[in-house]
Amino acid sequence: MIRVLRNATYRSLFSAQVLALLGTGLLTVALGLLAFDLAGDSAGAVLGTALTIKMVAYVGVAPLVAALVDRLPKKAVLVGADAIRFAIALSLPLVTETWQIYVLVFVLQSASATFTPAFQSLIPSVLPESRDYTRALSLSRLAYDLEALLSPIIAAALLTVVTYNNLFLGTALGFACSAILVVTAKLPAREPDTSADTFWQRLPTGVRVFARTPTLRFVMLTNIVVAAGTAIVLVNSVVYARGVFGLDDTALTLALACYGIGSLVVALNVPWVVDRFGVPRPMLAGGTLIVLGLIAAVLITGLLTSNPAGWPLLLVTWVALGMGTSLVNTPSSRLLAEASTPQNRNLVYTAQFALSHACFLITYPIAGWLGGTSLLAAAVTLAILASGALAAAFLQAENTHRRRGAAETATDPTGEAAPAPETPAETT
């Protein structure tokens, strides 16, 4: 991983990502405190609505904006998104009504939905060698996991000396530093796009590539598995910690930390795993680990809620779910890079961004609404959903492997090797 950080352009972009993530982490804490100030005991409902708005922006706005800015210079898009997020962060301390939170969160998350896919689609051009790109993916995953672990600690330390409104200033500073680093980075030249496609023709491009590319259909199925495993952790950890096992607030922190630690351990080892086994097999192994974790959650919920061993076993299960999630998510972008061209890469990455978050619009309500009635029913439903998606992913991977094998062994009547198959982005 040190090797890829020697690349000056990637180093600047990675630093920009880390600072923006840190700013976002501070924002999460500050937003919760602001919601409590405005709504008191109804703060949970305010935050729940804000998170729903976030998902709507990710799923609905991201493809629209990506098609709109697809032909603009990447640097302008990234800096523009950071500038919008900077302005929103400075505006949040001035909020006096809950509806204002909703409006500002929608604009901020729309900017994030523009920044993230554009940033991700740029890295394959900066690091074209596949092994370097895999290491960059691992570093990116480490950044996300460390942000989730460290941001609350940093926020808590800052709150001992400043009020929570000052955390919004820290958020704004993170976005400003991100923009400066992007401005100073020497980005690769954009390859000319000679197509005459209109906005409405570009809009569904990413989804069309997903629909016709076997490897991306495989990615979509694994997105469902990941969403099921993530939902039970993020939505129901507090229910298990406080409601089921009757523990204190630190237990929730411990549960989420276990999930993050599992993800971190795998992210550190993904490069050599992918080098040895390729991309699909580790992803299938990660999906299997998630399904086994969900089955373990079902057993713990149904049989061990009154047993002292239940809580430690749940923590081990959360570690396994974190490991499985990282094993699926970290290398999956390799398949996106291989199945796209420089001209459509941003649209393909945006499609993955939107489609993967659309899965959470299914699994979050299962974990939350169904879990509010029966935690066991929620765990069983998520386990069944993940198992079905994983079985379909295995079939898709097997069919793709068989098709590629047939193409590689085919010969023409003269005995010479057949022409190479179409590129992944054009495979039907």
Side-chain angles (χ1 to χ4, degrees):
M1 294 185 189
I2 300 299
R3 170 182 167 179
V4 297
L5 288 174
R6 294 194 183 107
N7 183 304
T9 299
Y10 176 71
R11 187 168 61 247
S12 294
L13 292 175
F14 178 69
S15 300
Q17 180 192 24
V18 170
L19 290 169
L21 283 173
L22 180 58
T24 302
L26 296 179
L27 174 68
T28 301
V29 176
L31 199 59
L33 295 172
L34 174 62
F36 188 81
D37 259 6
L38 295 178
D41 292 339
S42 299
V46 173
L47 289 176
T49 303
L51 288 173
T52 302
I53 291 171
K54 172 183 176 179
M55 288 299 168
V56 169
Y58 282 3
V59 175
V61 175
L64 291 170
V65 176
L68 188 64
V69 305
D70 185 50
R71 291 176 178 170
L72 296 178
K74 279 287 197 302
K75 183 173 289 190
V77 173
L78 295 175
V79 173
D82 269 337
I84 292 172
R85 296 194 292 182
F86 172 80
I88 297 300
L90 290 181
S91 301
L92 280 165
L94 307 177
V95 163
T96 58
E97 302 288 341
T98 55
W99 67 265
Q100 295 169 349
I101 291 180
Y102 302 149
V103 172
L104 292 176
V105 164
F106 178 77
V107 176
L108 187 145
Q109 298 301 346
S110 296
S112 293
T114 303
F115 181 94
T116 302
F119 174 88
Q120 292 173 338
S121 67
L122 187 61
I123 303 305
S125 300
V126 176
L127 299 171
E129 206 279 313
S130 60
R131 295 181 67 182
D132 288 341
Y133 182 46
T134 302
R135 283 153 179 75
L137 294 175
S138 293
L139 276 172
S140 180
R141 185 70 198 181
L142 284 170
Y144 277 103
D145 291 335
L146 286 173
E147 181 274 320
L149 291 173
L150 296 180
S151 287
I153 298 173
I154 295 172
L158 289 173
L159 287 172
T160 62
V161 293
V162 299
T163 62
Y164 76 83
N165 276 336
N166 289 285
L167 296 183
F168 291 120
L169 299 179
T171 298
L173 180 62
F175 293 143
C177 291
S178 172
I180 292 170
L181 286 167
V182 171
V183 167
T184 59
K186 186 178 180 181
L187 303 185
R190 177 183 173 85
E191 295 193 18
D193 187 352
T194 57
S195 70
D197 290 348
T198 65
F199 165 81
W200 295 109
Q201 290 170 323
R202 294 196 304 275
L203 181 59
T205 295
V207 175
R208 281 204 305 264
V209 174
F210 260 80
R212 72 192 186 201
T213 308
T215 53
L216 297 191
R217 292 199 294 269
F218 169 77
V219 169
M220 187 62 228
L221 291 167
T222 61
N223 286 340
I224 299 172
V225 181
V226 167
T230 303
I232 196 170
V233 173
L234 297 187
V235 176
N236 290 329
S237 286
V238 65
V239 181
Y240 280 107
R242 299 300 306 274
V244 174
F245 293 102
L247 303 173
D248 57 20
D249 290 343
T250 58
L252 171 60
T253 304
L254 179 61
L256 295 177
C258 286
Y259 180 75
I261 289 169
S263 182
L264 276 171
V265 169
V266 168
L268 286 168
N269 290 281
V270 160
W272 73 262
V273 171
V274 170
D275 286 345
R276 182 170 181 179
F277 299 105
V279 175
R281 281 193 286 177
M283 290 179 66
L284 289 171
T288 302
L289 196 55
I290 291 173
V291 169
L292 292 176
L294 287 168
I295 293 172
V298 170
L299 295 176
I300 292 169
T301 307
L303 302 175
L304 298 175
T305 53
S306 59
N307 190 312
W311 176 246
L313 287 174
L314 188 77
L315 295 180
V316 173
T317 299
W318 265 215
V319 171
L321 287 172
M323 294 175 70
T325 298
S326 186
L327 202 52
V328 174
N329 279 345
T330 305
S332 64
S333 289
R334 274 272 298 267
L335 299 181
L336 298 179
E338 293 167 1
S340 59
T341 65
Q343 288 74 26
N344 69 15
R345 186 161 290 150
N346 184 43
L347 298 175
V348 170
Y349 274 74
T350 301
Q352 162 65 356
F353 186 80
L355 291 171
S356 61
H357 284 90
C359 296
F360 289 106
L361 290 178
I362 299 172
T363 59
Y364 279 169
I366 292 174
W369 298 342
L370 184 57
T373 303
S374 170
L375 201 57
L376 179 60
V380 169
T381 303
L382 290 171
I384 292 172
L385 178 64
S387 299
L390 180 64
F394 267 100
L395 289 175
Q396 180 67 66
E398 178 61 27
N399 290 338
T400 303
H401 178 72
R402 188 184 302 116
R403 187 178 306 167
R404 285 179 174 174
E408 290 170 359
T409 57
T411 58
D412 64 20
T414 65
E416 296 178 353
E422 294 173 310
T423 60
E426 297 173 349
T427 302
T428 57

